[in-house]
């Protein structure tokens, strides 16, 4: 499957760049010995962001391939 919609592709790329930044932020937090609670909070945010990106791909797939 290819993501054909330019809008969907742009949105997905934007989300992935944000996720990448969040992951880099967690690495910096580890290096800075930040509190575990803060790190867990950021990991939960990353998990949610990945879930939303996955949902975007699934919706695109459903619209293009299943209908």
């Amino acid at each position: 499957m290819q993501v054909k919609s330019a809008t969907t592709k742009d949105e997905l790329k934007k989300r992935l760049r944000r996720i990448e930044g969040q992951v880099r932020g967690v690495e910096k937090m580890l290096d800075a010995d930040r509190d575990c609670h803060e790190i867990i909070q950021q990991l939960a945010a990353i998990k949610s962001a990945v879930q939303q990106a996955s949902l975007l791909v699934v919706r695109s797939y459903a619209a293009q391939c299943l209908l």
Side-chain angles (χ1 to χ4, degrees):
M1 180 198 102
Q2 296 177 346
V3 178
K4 295 179 182 176
S5 168
T7 305
T8 301
K9 191 179 285 189
D10 289 343
E11 178 65 24
L12 185 57
K13 288 170 106 176
K14 185 172 90 175
R15 287 177 185 269
L16 291 174
R17 283 191 299 269
R18 187 177 305 132
I19 292 165
E20 183 180 17
Q22 287 176 306
V23 171
R24 274 194 244 109
V26 170
E27 286 180 298
K28 289 178 184 177
M29 291 172 79
L30 289 170
D31 291 339
D33 293 327
R34 298 284 294 269
D35 185 54
C36 291
H37 180 268
E38 295 173 20
I39 294 170
I40 291 169
Q41 187 174 20
Q42 286 303 308
L43 291 173
I46 292 168
K47 180 180 175 184
S48 177
V50 170
Q51 186 175 9
Q52 291 301 312
S54 298
L55 187 58
L56 189 62
V57 173
V58 169
R59 285 181 178 157
S60 177
Y61 173 77
Q64 292 176 20
C65 301
L66 296 179
L67 294 178

